[in-house]
Amino acid sequence: MKRALASILMIAALTACQEPEAPARAVDQAGWMVEHAPLYLGDRAWRRARLEESLWRPELPYARKRLDSVALEVGGWDLLPEINASVAPVRAEGRPTGAFEGRALEAGRAPETAAQWRELGERVFWTMPMRRDAYVEWLVERPELWAEVGLEVDEQGNLRGLTRFVDARGDARVGVTCGLCHGEGGVAGRGSRSLDLGRARALFDRERGREPGQYETWGPGRVDVTEDGQSDVLTIKDLWGVPFATHINSSGAVALPTPAALALRFETQYVVGHAMEARPSRVLTWALTMYVLTLDAPPSTPDLDSPGARVFEGACAGCHDPARGYGGPLVDARALNSDPASALSPARGTGFYKTPSLIGVGAGGPYLHDGGQPTLDALLDSGHPFGRALPEPDRRALASFLESL
């Protein structure tokens, strides 16, 4: 009976691992980016074409908003002012005094080589304000809460992942960088599993006499970024394996036929994060894309001849393909035990979930798109179609192999 159930689940899951057809992706992504940088920076029609090919479900409200705003012949976000890309660290020792003094991220002209693009992208990753929120600025002034919500102070005495800048109105603000959610422990790309932004927002709301609503249900390492009016809490992902990805967003609402789709996604995050008041420098978003595409996961030495590796090959590799960074195609959300809310989101739901890369998966949970499983053992015991059907010794061997990736 157990073997029959395992076979049924295997067939169902492999059948579910299908993805909508997407254009061919560039093989040499770094070389492709250097070659196409002038088009991204200066050719509106080229950017528009890249946007349209990435939004493979144009009827979704999420896609419609982007199609109505990005790279238009007349109007749209191109008319927004570009924020002065000068930033300063947020010192843990106290508020700055006097006029804002920041460091310009741009050198005045675009980089020319892949190495130069990546070097600039690293600075962008850690210091460019991708969004600003009142609750974050409130939190910066309350060091007694930092440990409770998972804010980290780096070796230089700065709050990691936060930056000071001057917004489009000329006001000094505190912004959130990529490194806040994807730089735990100072490792670029590592999901910040201890970060509890829901707790921070709940505390902020309570001080202002408001009910915190869903924020208290988020928990560490989980956020809701779907902006669709319903609770779609998702885990904060590692950024390993992005070069192998064919889609982004948990529901795969954005295809990645070329790296330009990722750069346009970063533009969107920035504009929305600044309340549609400003747009970023495209030199900086292109550099950020180059950096994210070339992030290296912490070194690992998986034993490919171990019992767990053999279990993985038979039970997992159909979707988590080692040749694709242990990631893979979109999966029908009905084949999984995780909450399907995000896959069915009214704003960006496709009915699918993206198969995540398993590189670095042993660093810790929560696991699945909704963060519903705290540990690998819990995931394999009850949270995953394959894990349920495997005999206990195979689950233990598989967990050991996954922790080595």
Side-chain angles (χ1 to χ4, degrees), residues 40-53:
Y40 174 75
L41 298 178
D43 190 326
R44 182 211 59 80
W46 188 86
R47 288 196 306 275
R48 180 68 184 189
R50 304 291 76 72
L51 175 75
E52 291 176 352
E53 71 184 7

Side-chain angles (χ1 to χ4, degrees), residues 367-393:
Y367 296 102
L368 296 181
H369 294 87
D370 63 346
Q373 299 298 328
T375 66
L376 276 175
D377 284 342
L379 171 66
L380 296 177
D381 287 344
S382 62
H384 195 285
F386 295 140
R388 276 204 321 270
L390 292 172
E392 193 276 340

Side-chain angles (χ1 to χ4, degrees), residues 122-259:
E122 183 175 14
R123 296 201 302 272
V124 172
F125 181 90
W126 291 110
T127 63
M128 187 167 84
M130 294 298 289
R131 63 178 298 121
R132 73 286 200 288
D133 292 284
Y135 82 93
V136 173
E137 296 180 315
W138 171 86
L139 184 62
V140 165
E141 304 298 326
R142 288 158 178 77
E144 69 276 10
L145 300 177
W146 294 350
E148 181 177 350
V149 302
L151 285 190
E152 298 180 340
V153 178
D154 66 18
E155 296 79 2
Q156 289 74 44
N158 304 322
L159 283 175
R160 181 176 288 123
L162 299 178
T163 194
R164 295 192 184 276
F165 72 104
V166 175
D167 69 11
R169 301 184 183 189
D171 297 326
R173 303 294 301 269
V174 172
V176 171
T177 76
C178 297
L180 181 69
C181 292
H182 303 286
E184 186 164 81
V187 180
R190 175 173 288 161
S192 298
R193 296 171 177 84
S194 301
L195 183 66
D196 196 341
L197 293 179
R199 179 65 175 160
R201 296 188 71 159
L203 292 169
F204 174 73
D205 281 352
R206 277 213 171 88
E207 184 173 285
R208 277 153 178 72
R210 299 193 296 257
E211 286 298 318
Q214 63 159 310
Y215 298 138
E216 290 196 308
T217 69
W218 289 8
R222 303 169 76 219
V223 294
D224 183 351
V225 299
T226 50
E227 301 166 356
D228 61 0
Q230 69 178 33
S231 179
D232 301 328
V233 183
L234 301 168
T235 55
I236 298 174
K237 303 294 192 298
D238 293 334
L239 296 182
W240 325 129
V242 174
F244 302 98
T246 57
H247 297 76
I248 53 177
N249 293 337
S250 287
S251 65
V254 179
L256 284 181
T258 71

Side-chain angles (χ1 to χ4, degrees), residues 2-27:
K2 286 184 178 180
R3 289 185 179 179
L5 177 59
S7 298
I8 292 170
L9 288 171
M10 175 74 79
I11 293 170
L14 289 176
T15 301
C17 290
Q18 305 294 326
E19 58 188 323
E21 184 176 352
R25 295 165 62 245
V27 176

Side-chain angles (χ1 to χ4, degrees), residues 254-303:
V254 179
L256 284 181
T258 71
L262 185 58
L264 289 163
R265 171 61 180 152
F266 288 146
E267 279 197 48
T268 295
Q269 288 179 303
Y270 189 103
V271 172
V272 173
H274 289 268
M276 272 70 78
E277 293 181 348
R279 64 178 178 86
S281 159
R282 292 196 178 95
V283 169
L284 300 183
T285 51
W286 199 248
L288 177 60
T289 303
M290 174 73 85
Y291 183 64
V292 169
L293 286 172
T294 56
L295 281 175
D296 291 323
S300 62
T301 55
D303 184 355

